Structure formats: structure tokens, C-alpha cells
Amino acid sequence: MSDCLFCKIAAGAIPSNKVFEDETCLAFYDIDPQAPTHFLVIPKEHIGSVAEVTEDNAAVVAHIFTVIAQQCKKLGLQSYRVVSNIGEQAGQSVPHLHFHVLSGRDMTWPPG
Ligand code: 5GP
Ligand code: ZN
């Protein structure tokens, strides 16, 4: 989607501090970290949010979770939280599917 911030980051048109990249997804550090380690994992194809996940694109999401597991292992993270906000009320500010990976501090439950 031409007007989407994360599509531009995925395409390299806007720079990011990359954690990992392959043909399907990109992991990069959040510009406004909410924990000592905070990165985002996005599909390269435009999917608006978890609400747009279907049988046709679910393999991308499964792949993203394997990337999260591998990268967290590589970074030595033993405890972390994976979050995806869907819609404005839940705090989604960028309408391109992304999973936050947060680690390195105590976290509360339930989230605010
Ligand atoms: P959301 O609020 O949609 O759940 O998460 C969007 C995240 O994207 C926020 O944590 C925000 O800090 C991050 N973000 C917004 N713009 C940029 C950017 O240009 N670069 C990077 N690396 N992160 C961004
Ligand atoms: Zn997009």
C-alpha cells in the first residue's frame, strides 16, 4: 500500500534499525521503545491488522512467530511479551500488521 508507513519501511524507502529480514518479513527496533528491548515484526505484504488475517495469509503470521522465537533466542531473551494492537481503542497507531516484542523489564498484567 503506497501510503503506508510500514510498507515504506518494509520496502527500505524509510530506514529502520533492522533486527532481521527475509523475503516475507522484517524485524526492526521500535523508534519509541517501551522496554530495554523493543522491536516490531511486520509482514512485507500489506495486512491491516490481525483482523485481516485469513486462511490465505496465515502462513505469513506463522512464519513471523518462528522469526520471533529465533531472534529472541539469538538475542538471549528468556522472557518477553508479544503484543499486537488491533484498532484505535486497543492502541493501534499504524494500520499495518505488526507484533511488538518487548523484553528486559518487569511487566504487569493485565496490560493497561
Ligand atoms: P501500535 O501503536 O500501532 O501498536 O505500534 C506502532 C509502533 O510503531 C509504535 O510503538 C511506534 O513507536 C512505532 N513506530 C512508529 N513510527 C515508526 C518509525 O518510523 N520507525 C520505527 N522504527 N518505529 C515506528
Ligand atoms: Zn502497509
Side-chain angles (χ1 to χ4, degrees):
M1 199 180 271
S2 59
D3 202 26
C4 170
L5 173 65
F6 284 180
C7 280
K8 288 178 186 161
I9 288 178
I14 292 176
S16 64
N17 188 2
K18 289 177 194 175
V19 176
F20 175 83
E21 181 173 20
D22 64 16
E23 62 284 347
T24 306
C25 70
L26 175 68
F28 58 102
Y29 288 103
D30 198 291
I31 205 167
D32 181 21
Q34 301 301 313
T37 300
H38 182 182
F39 62 89
L40 305 171
V41 191
I42 65 171
K44 288 196 169 174
E45 71 172 281
H46 183 86
I47 300 170
S49 76
V50 168
E52 291 182 15
V53 174
T54 65
E55 290 295 342
D56 288 339
N57 61 23
V60 174
V61 178
H63 177 68
I64 283 174
F65 275 82
T66 69
V67 167
I68 290 172
Q70 284 165 2
Q71 293 308 306
C72 287
K73 225 168 265 167
K74 200 171 159 191
L75 292 167
L77 308 179
Q78 286 171 350
S79 185
Y80 51 90
R81 186 171 286 179
V82 180
V83 178
S84 192
N85 299 319
I86 296 101
E88 236 172 81
Q89 191 177 28
Q92 184 177 12
S93 60
V94 179
H96 178 124
L97 178 65
H98 50 283
F99 295 94
H100 296 259
V101 180
L102 301 128
S103 185
R105 65 165 170 81
D106 293 340
M107 294 187 195
T108 58
W109 190 263

